[in-house]
């Protein structure tokens, strides 16, 4: 049994409109993989450097988490999902 966490396609469809689209330079790597990795680290409490390699480089996970925190992406995302209710 795998202890990896993966967002479902339905969850990603719900999140997609809430994600930033102002990317400059190189396009973002797979949002589903990176966000799933961030959730895994936050749920498990493991250090970023110990994130399973299936999620990609730990530096990518950490950088995305921090950059989106500074931009308020996570707050807006959680507020929007909480206001919508449901699971």
């Amino acid at each position: 049994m795998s202890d990896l966490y993966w967002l479902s396609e339905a969850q990603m469809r719900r999140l997609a409109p809430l994600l930033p689209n102002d990317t400059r330079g190189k396009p973002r790597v797979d949002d589903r993989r990176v966000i799933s990795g961030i959730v895994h680290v936050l749920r498990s409490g493991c250090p970023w450097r110990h994130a399973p390699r299936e999620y990609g480089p730990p530096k990518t996970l950490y950088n995305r988490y921090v950059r989106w925190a500074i931009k308020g992406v996570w707050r807006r995302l959680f507020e929007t999902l909480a206001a919508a209710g449901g699971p």
Side-chain angles (χ1 to χ4, degrees), residues 2-86:
S2 173
D3 57 346
L4 298 180
Y5 175 83
W6 291 101
L7 291 168
S8 69
E9 291 299 323
Q11 290 169 320
M12 279 308 298
R13 281 193 301 275
R14 191 169 179 197
L15 292 180
L18 307 173
L19 301 179
N21 57 9
D22 60 349
T23 304
R24 290 176 285 162
K26 287 175 37 173
R28 288 195 312 253
V29 296
D30 183 8
D31 283 331
R32 180 177 183 232
R33 185 186 76 191
V34 174
I35 295 170
S36 295
I38 290 168
V39 172
H40 175 88
V41 168
L42 297 177
R43 287 179 68 188
S44 71
C46 74
W48 294 102
R49 68 183 178 277
H50 292 160
R53 68 180 67 199
E54 289 85 353
Y55 297 125
K59 186 172 182 175
T60 299
L61 304 178
Y62 174 78
N63 285 344
R64 176 89 56 95
Y65 176 76
V66 170
R67 288 178 183 147
W68 282 8
I70 291 168
K71 291 173 74 172
V73 172
W74 297 114
R75 178 181 295 273
R76 285 190 305 276
L77 192 143
F78 293 137
E79 287 174 350
T80 301
L81 293 176

